[in-house]
Amino acid sequence: MIGGWLHRQTGGEAIAVDGKTLRGSASQQRKAVHLLSALVHKEGVVAAQCAVDTKSNEITAFRPLLDPLDLTDTVVTADAMHAQVDHARYLVEEKQADYLFTVKGNQPTLLADLTALEESDFFPSVCRARTRTRSR
């Protein structure tokens, strides 16, 4: 897969997962084509891409999209649709990656829990130490 090769060439330290519907791809006989892509942030290279089944959504395409990629020590960003426990576990436990998901009102309990956190609840010293380790 050329996307995987490109991902390895760029180092792929941050990957954005995002879906787009292709304008003009719909007809009277079929729905518009919707693609889910994994894009390397820095280089803007598409590392992986798959069509989202017309009877499904991006949530079910997330894992198959990322399965072929080596995401070890990569940060995966995604919009609020992907703020799913299963996606977070998959990235951390199976792919040894980190994640940054947008959280909006579609997950009101999670949004309330995050809003209630104090700045001291975060561990920036751990993040800085990990960043120093990666840069060596």
Side-chain angles (χ1 to χ4, degrees), residues 21-119:
T21 300
L22 302 180
R23 186 189 326 183
S25 63
S27 70
Q28 290 181 342
Q29 292 78 29
R30 70 166 191 257
K31 292 184 177 183
V33 175
H34 189 80
L35 299 175
L36 187 63
S37 303
L39 182 83
V40 180
H41 277 250
K42 187 176 177 183
E43 288 81 5
V45 172
V46 175
Q49 189 173 63
C50 67
V52 176
D53 189 306
T54 57
K55 296 180 183 182
S56 187
N57 61 41
E58 290 180 22
I59 294 171
T60 59
F62 187 84
R63 182 185 285 251
L65 173 74
L66 299 177
D67 271 342
L69 299 178
D70 177 5
L71 297 177
T72 305
D73 294 329
T74 299
V75 176
V76 176
T77 63
D79 62 23
M81 180 183 295
H82 298 288
Q84 307 285 325
V85 172
D86 288 342
H87 289 177
R89 283 193 179 129
Y90 166 72
L91 290 171
V92 172
E93 295 172 6
E94 293 184 38
K95 300 302 278 182
Q96 287 75 51
D98 294 308
Y99 62 89
L100 179 65
F101 294 154
T102 302
V103 176
K104 293 183 178 179
N106 64 323
Q107 301 244 4
T109 303
L110 177 59
L111 182 60
D113 289 346
L114 291 172
T115 304
L117 291 173
E118 299 291 330
E119 189 173 334

